[in-house]
Amino acid sequence: MRFRRSVVLTALAAVLTASTGCGVGVRPTGVIDAGEPASGLTRGKRLYYASDTGLRAVPLLDRENDTLEAVMKLLAQGPTAAERREGLTTLLHAPSGYTVTGDGPRVTVDLEGPYWAQPRDQATGQLVCTLASFQSVSEAEVRADDVEVTIRPGEGPELGPLRCAEYLDR
């Protein structure tokens, strides 16, 4: 009986020491350099708008969008009043006719008419980054950094494949 009480008291003491004295005997350390912060696109539905400092992502928390075509319409509508006050704008206008398809890490935009922007400007970046963001959400195994967007105008040369990182590293 005495042995069993001793074992129980020892176990109880160990639990109390562990729960109340976690920091006992641990010396403080200084700041530890852990290298560069994480980079690349984050997962989640985001619209990319133009600003004086380059593209800026705006998360879509309260708007339902299930298709890549719906996202293009939203992007062309532009930022909310609050986002405009923060200096955001859209450089895109809604094309007259288009289809957008996504398959794994590839997104294709087929336009009926010509493409209205330059391949390396913020307008194209808005389109590419927004579509990459949404494609990575709709296909969970695809990282936004890996999505390639091709723009095929009805008139003029094909653009792409283009990746969002090309527009964020400026």
Side-chain angles (χ1 to χ4, degrees):
M1 186 69 153
R2 185 180 244 184
F3 175 73
R4 201 177 321 171
R5 188 178 338 156
S6 165
V7 170
V8 170
L9 288 176
T10 302
L12 184 58
V15 169
L16 287 175
T17 300
S19 65
T20 60
C22 287
V24 176
V26 176
R27 289 181 274 142
T29 63
V31 176
I32 298 172
D33 184 16
E36 294 295 315
S39 64
L41 297 170
T42 57
R43 187 171 285 289
K45 292 181 179 180
R46 289 169 177 32
L47 292 174
Y48 282 79
Y49 291 119
S51 76
D52 291 341
T53 59
L55 293 180
R56 289 195 20 217
V58 175
L60 278 180
L61 304 173
D62 60 345
R63 299 183 225 177
E64 286 290 321
N65 295 290
D66 295 284
T67 68
L68 293 170
E69 289 180 355
V71 170
M72 280 191 57
K73 287 179 186 174
L74 242 180
L75 188 59
Q77 288 173 4
T80 64
E83 292 162 349
R84 284 192 305 272
R85 285 191 296 274
E86 292 180 22
L88 301 180
T89 189
T90 187
L91 301 174
L92 293 174
H93 55 72
S96 58
Y98 62 90
T99 57
V100 186
T101 55
D103 182 24
R106 284 175 288 293
V107 173
T108 304
V109 180
D110 288 301
L111 301 171
E112 287 180 7
Y115 184 63
W116 60 92
Q118 297 299 311
R120 300 289 176 220
D121 65 11
Q122 281 194 68
T124 302
Q126 282 185 259
L127 183 61
V128 169
C129 291
T130 298
L131 292 174
S133 164
F134 277 76
Q135 183 65 10
S136 72
V137 170
S138 62
E139 301 214 16
E141 70 280 358
V142 174
R143 293 176 352 125
D145 285 330
D146 296 333
V147 175
E148 295 179 331
V149 177
T150 300
I151 302 169
R152 297 192 309 207
E155 302 169 23
E158 183 175 288
L159 286 86
L162 305 167
R163 289 180 184 234
C164 182
E166 299 171 36
Y167 302 94
L168 298 180
D169 294 338
R170 297 179 165 208

